[in-house]
Each structure stands twice: as structure tokens, then as C-alpha cells.
Amino acid sequence: DLAAWNALLDDARKREAAGMNALRSAFFGRDTDPHAIRAAQDNAVLAGLAGLIDFHVGDIRSLDHAPGTQDDDARNGLVVCNPPYDARLAADPALYRALGDALKRATPQWRASLLCGDAELAFATGLRAQKKYQVFNGAIECTLIVCDPIAPAQRRRTDESGAEIAPTLSEGAQMVANRLRKNLHKLKRWREREGITCYRAYDADIPEDVHPADETHAAETRPRIFLPVQEYAAPADIPENVQRRRLNELLAAAREVFAVPRENVALKTRSRGKGGSKYGTMDSRGEFVTVREGDVLLRVNLFDYLDTGLFLDHRPMRLRIAEEAQDTRFLNLFGYTGAATVHAAVGGARLTTTVDLSATYLEWCADNLRENDIGGTRHRLVQADALTWLEADTQQYDLIFCDPPTFSNSKRAQDFDVQAQHVRLLRAAVARLDERGVLYFSNNFRRFRLDEAAVGEFARVEDISARTIPPDFERDARIHRCWRLQRKA
């Protein structure tokens, strides 16, 4: 029946056209290379799908809403992508990160299936995969990840009244915030009991594959709180964009937990140069803030220098000096900014002498003494190479604190290496002790080994390191070593 047959064909063609029109707004392709787009269009023609797929030349970074819509509330969809990854296409972790960011921004509730070059590149997307598969593209081993949805809804958070709190942190930042709150809760009773206002709040105690080796300290100078953050250079195999994401997540978490403005966060980046020297990226504000430690006030600079002027891990040692300083002659070798000297002076030391090669640090020490209304000739500041000066000095002291650097190669003094020269240094220091005097010797060189046989010839030695590590540094008890020395009879 030719008429009936033609009617059926006509109806089928109309339904086909209607279906194609419906599908035409449902398939989309994007690439930055116009040649690739033309090849894709040719393939669509050969497959009988001409006009069905909306191919577009564009960068993934410009994808700001779900394809086919003008808003972010698009219906559910599927994203498939095979980003560049072999040597010829020069796999770029930053591109993978841009892909992940674009999908979370434009199609958060869609599903994604991404064929990535390897597990590290898959991780660089920043997407949380529900499933991962190791597959081969020819001879190239790849990682296929499935994300469903692309950006899972964050856990619902409520305040004390039960009202929902809008999410403000990414998943990684929330992890850091949770750890910060846990650390603060753990240290709270100790901080309140001891009146601690400057402390370490975070020390890379989230696994390194999640976050880098960063430190976050807090300095509470009521009514303000400052956060000095030190970032240590990540291993070379960690993509730069991953480093940046981790650091930004840590900063966001710290600012939320402590409720501090951006200008109160002091970020410094440490890296190791030739010969082991440390370099840091710093600000230049010239701004000092005054903090309290025990019974003393100390000036710190949180922005301009690699270190702040106050080594927090030596807090117990300084407090011990304050307790033992009454009516003593106190000597501070390698005095830095003189925090130990101030504690000794406030603790009742009869005389203090602070020796350091840096005029800047000695001026800082003088400022710290003035901050506590201390001055005059009883508190001597000496700009000199500590070891050379010590071997020439003839005075006697009741209490000595010696905290040398690991090494020093200043042009104004002889080279110093604490491991190689500590016996000579301690011999000279013990010689300056009164008969009942005490020398506290410490350093932060993690591989340091005290030559007990050599030192034992002229001094009685006691390792007191465990008693000088404060609670906020107990996770890394190797932060410093400390010994108590006295002259042998």
C-alpha cells in the first residue's frame, strides 16, 4: 500500500526532525584549537549527525555556565574529557586544575568522566572522584576518574540556634579548619593556665599528601590577633598549582578560625639556597607589635623579617632563666633580639651582658629592655663575634645562655659551625662561669651530636631537652636540644 507506506515514512521523518531539534541543544563540544573543531565537525557529518552537536572554539577557563543554558541551575548532564597528557602534548597540571575549577563552577551537579594522564594529574583537577580506574591508552597507562556529582554539596552546618550556616570553605580548607580547632581546643587549658599569648597553632600535622609543610602561629595582642604563617618549599614533584591551592586553603581556614582580617596575616615563604642558607619572601611594613610572655613585654615584627624576633620553642627556657636570674650576673651569647636578657633583667639579674654580631638585633634588644622600663649601664650590649669575644673576656658570670646558630659565614667574623666548634665554644663559656654558675646551651641543628667525652673533661653535663619543649611544639620534640652545664670542681 504505497500511500500508507509514504504516510508512515513522512511521519517518521517528522518525528526524526523533532527529535533532532530536541537533541540539538543537548550535545556540546569545546576545544581551543579551531583545526580540531573542524575535524570534529567533519566526523559528525560522516556519522550522519551534522548539526546535532554544538561545537565551539573556546578555552575551558571561560566556561562560566552549563552549556545550553544561561544559568547554573541546568538539568543534570554528563561531561566527558580526555585532557592532554603525553609528552607530545606536554601535560600541564595547571590546565587540569583549570578544568576542575571550570566544571565545579559551570556544572557542579553534573557527572564527569575524565581520562587523565596519571593519578597526579587526576589529583591536580581538585575534583573528588567516586571511582578511579587504571586503564591503558595504547602503551600509556592512564587514570580514569568518575565524579558524580562534580561538586558534592557540603555538609550542612548550623549555628547554636539551628540556623544553617552558608558554606564558606572548600573541602580542603575545611579539613585544615577542623584541625586548627582541634589543636586550639587541646591547647586551651594550658594557654589559659600559663597566660600564653604567642603560640604555634598548626605545624603540618595533616598528612603531606593533603597539605604542605606549613606553620601557623598566633600572636594575641588584645584586642587584635595576628597570624604569622610560614610556608616551606614543597618537593619538586608537587605541581605549583597544587602548592598554591593548598596554601590558599590553609590561609582561608586560618582566617576563618581566628576571625582575623587579611592584613593581620603575615605570610613568609622559606626556601633553601646554596650551602643550606634560608631565604624568605617578606613584607616591608616596619610595623612592630608588643606581646606578653610571662612577666615581660617583647616587641615582635611579624611582617618584615624571616623570623619574628621571638623563637617560641624556647619559651620554657626563657621562663626558667627568669626564675633563676635573681641577683645574678647574666650573659646572653648570640643574643638575637634579647628576649632571654629581658627575662633575666625582669627576674632580678644584677647585671646583664648581651653579645651579638648584628647591630639591628642589639638595637631590637635595647627596645625590648626599654619596653620593660629597663636601662642603664647595668645592662651591657656588645656588638662582636660571640666566640672571639668570649675567649678574650675576663669577667665571671653566674648564669649564661648560649643559643648559637647552626652555622654563620658573616664577612665581619670568622666562620662558625656549631657541630665543629661547640667544644671550643663551651670550653670558653664554662671558663667564664662562677664556681656555682650554670650554663644553658641549646641549638636547633637536628643532626647535632654533643661530644660528651670532650665536654666532660671540663664540665658536668645534663641533657634537659625534654623539659624545655613546650606543649605547642611537643609533636616535634627535635625542634631543639638543650643541656645544663656546670664547672667541674
Side-chain angles (χ1 to χ4, degrees):
D1 186 337
L2 185 59
W5 173 244
N6 287 335
L8 288 172
L9 287 179
D10 185 54
D11 179 62
R13 291 186 179 109
K14 288 179 180 178
R15 287 189 287 111
E16 178 193 27
M20 293 289 280
N21 285 331
L23 292 175
R24 189 165 283 112
S25 61
F27 290 86
F28 305 88
R30 174 182 284 238
D31 199 288
T32 58
D33 184 357
H35 298 288
I37 290 296
R38 282 196 292 272
Q41 290 170 334
D42 292 342
N43 285 333
V45 171
L46 293 173
L49 302 174
L52 175 62
I53 305 172
D54 181 9
F55 289 109
H56 176 66
V57 177
D59 194 307
I60 188 64
R61 297 172 182 84
S62 65
L63 186 66
D64 55 5
H65 60 268
T69 71
Q70 296 301 317
D71 56 61
D72 293 332
D73 298 322
R75 60 184 181 277
N76 291 338
L78 169 67
V79 177
V80 293
C81 186
N82 178 203
Y85 52 77
D86 67 5
R88 178 178 60 84
L89 295 173
D92 179 8
L95 175 62
Y96 279 71
R97 180 61 182 180
L99 170 64
D101 290 344
L103 296 184
K104 285 190 288 187
R105 179 176 63 248
T107 57
Q109 299 307 310
W110 286 25
R111 185 182 185 211
S113 182
L114 310 178
L115 183 61
C116 305
D118 53 39
E120 287 191 2
L121 289 171
F123 181 76
T125 64
L127 300 178
R128 187 173 182 178
Q130 280 71 38
K131 296 180 181 179
K132 295 182 181 179
Y133 304 93
Q134 295 302 115
V135 298
F136 283 85
N137 182 2
I140 304 175
E141 184 177 1
C142 305
T143 297
L144 175 69
I145 62 172
V146 177
C147 308
D148 187 12
I150 290 170
Q154 290 190 342
R155 185 186 308 174
R156 184 175 180 269
R157 300 168 59 217
T158 59
D159 59 21
E160 295 179 356
S161 66
E164 184 171 357
I165 301 174
T168 58
L169 299 177
S170 68
E171 183 179 358
Q174 191 62 56
M175 185 184 301
V176 180
N178 293 342
R179 181 55 61 97
L180 277 170
R181 292 188 178 98
K182 181 179 179 180
N183 290 352
L184 291 177
H185 178 74
K186 177 182 176 182
L187 299 172
K188 181 179 179 181
R189 187 170 298 177
W190 163 73
R191 289 189 290 116
E192 292 177 347
R193 182 180 67 249
E194 303 291 337
I196 303 298
T197 62
C198 301
Y199 52 91
R200 171 181 281 182
Y202 171 79
D203 177 28
D205 50 359
I206 289 179
E208 190 173 342
D209 60 343
V210 179
H211 275 276
D214 294 339
E215 298 176 9
T216 301
H217 300 138
E220 301 180 13
T221 59
R222 298 299 183 190
R224 292 192 296 171
I225 295 179
F226 291 86
L227 294 179
V229 178
Q230 293 188 358
E231 179 197 25
Y232 289 82
D237 59 345
I238 303 295
E240 183 179 355
N241 66 297
V242 175
Q243 297 177 40
R244 293 298 96 198
R245 172 176 60 82
R246 291 174 175 178
L247 178 60
N248 288 336
E249 288 175 342
L250 183 137
L251 293 173
R255 286 186 56 207
E256 175 168 291
V257 169
F258 287 94
V260 298
R262 185 184 302 274
E263 58 269 20
N264 283 15
V265 178
L267 174 62
K268 301 166 189 178
T269 302
R270 287 176 177 257
S271 60
R272 191 165 293 278
K274 294 181 179 179
S277 59
K278 294 177 180 177
Y279 293 86
T281 301
M282 291 151 284
D283 207 339
S284 55
R285 297 190 185 186
E287 177 183 357
F288 286 80
V289 297
T290 301
V291 299
R292 177 172 291 279
E293 183 178 81
D295 294 329
V296 310
L297 299 175
L298 298 168
R299 285 163 56 85
V300 296
N301 187 312
L302 305 178
F303 298 93
D304 297 355
Y305 300 96
L306 188 60
D307 295 306
T308 64
L310 186 64
F311 293 123
L312 299 184
D313 60 298
H314 276 308
R315 185 191 310 110
M317 190 67 253
R318 290 189 291 269
L319 296 176
R320 175 186 283 238
I321 288 171
E323 291 176 357
E324 299 180 7
Q326 181 66 40
D327 200 31
T328 62
R329 295 160 293 177
F330 174 73
L331 172 61
N332 187 2
L333 297 169
F334 305 94
Y336 190 41
T337 60
T341 301
V342 177
H343 274 281
V346 173
R350 206 163 65 238
L351 301 168
T352 70
T353 301
T354 304
V355 183
D356 199 283
L357 190 59
S358 168
T360 299
Y361 287 149
L362 289 175
E363 183 179 355
W364 200 330
C365 176
D367 291 339
N368 278 331
L369 288 167
R370 279 193 293 271
E371 194 73 35
N372 294 270
D373 297 323
I374 297 170
T377 58
R378 294 191 303 111
H379 304 284
R380 184 168 53 142
L381 305 179
V382 180
Q383 184 181 4
D385 172 69
L387 180 53
T388 302
W389 178 89
L390 186 63
E391 291 179 328
D393 187 36
T394 59
Q395 300 295 316
Q396 294 289 296
Y397 304 92
D398 307 294
L399 185 60
I400 299 177
F401 180 53
C402 179
D403 181 33
T406 299
F407 64 88
S408 173
N409 55 1
S410 173
K411 295 179 180 179
R412 293 178 294 166
Q414 58 181 302
D415 290 349
F416 177 81
D417 182 310
V418 69
Q419 184 62 69
Q421 295 173 273
H422 74 278
V423 174
R424 175 186 168 190
L425 172 65
L426 293 177
R427 187 186 300 275
V430 169
R432 303 272 55 80
L433 278 176
D434 186 72
E435 183 178 348
R436 295 187 179 182
V438 175
L439 163 65
Y440 289 108
F441 168 66
S442 70
N443 71 80
N444 295 75
F445 182 35
R446 291 177 180 265
R447 296 192 299 275
F448 179 80
R449 293 292 180 269
L450 184 73
D451 189 338
E452 295 183 7
V455 176
E457 293 178 1
F458 56 83
R460 300 195 303 273
V461 183
E462 178 188 4
D463 188 339
I464 62 170
S465 302
R467 284 173 275 166
T468 65
I469 304 297
D472 50 334
F473 284 81
E474 64 183 9
R475 197 183 76 86
D476 182 12
R478 296 170 57 221
I479 185 68
H480 69 242
R481 298 283 303 281
C482 191
W483 293 265
R484 184 179 188 270
L485 289 80
Q486 287 186 288
R487 290 176 59 178
K488 279 195 169 181

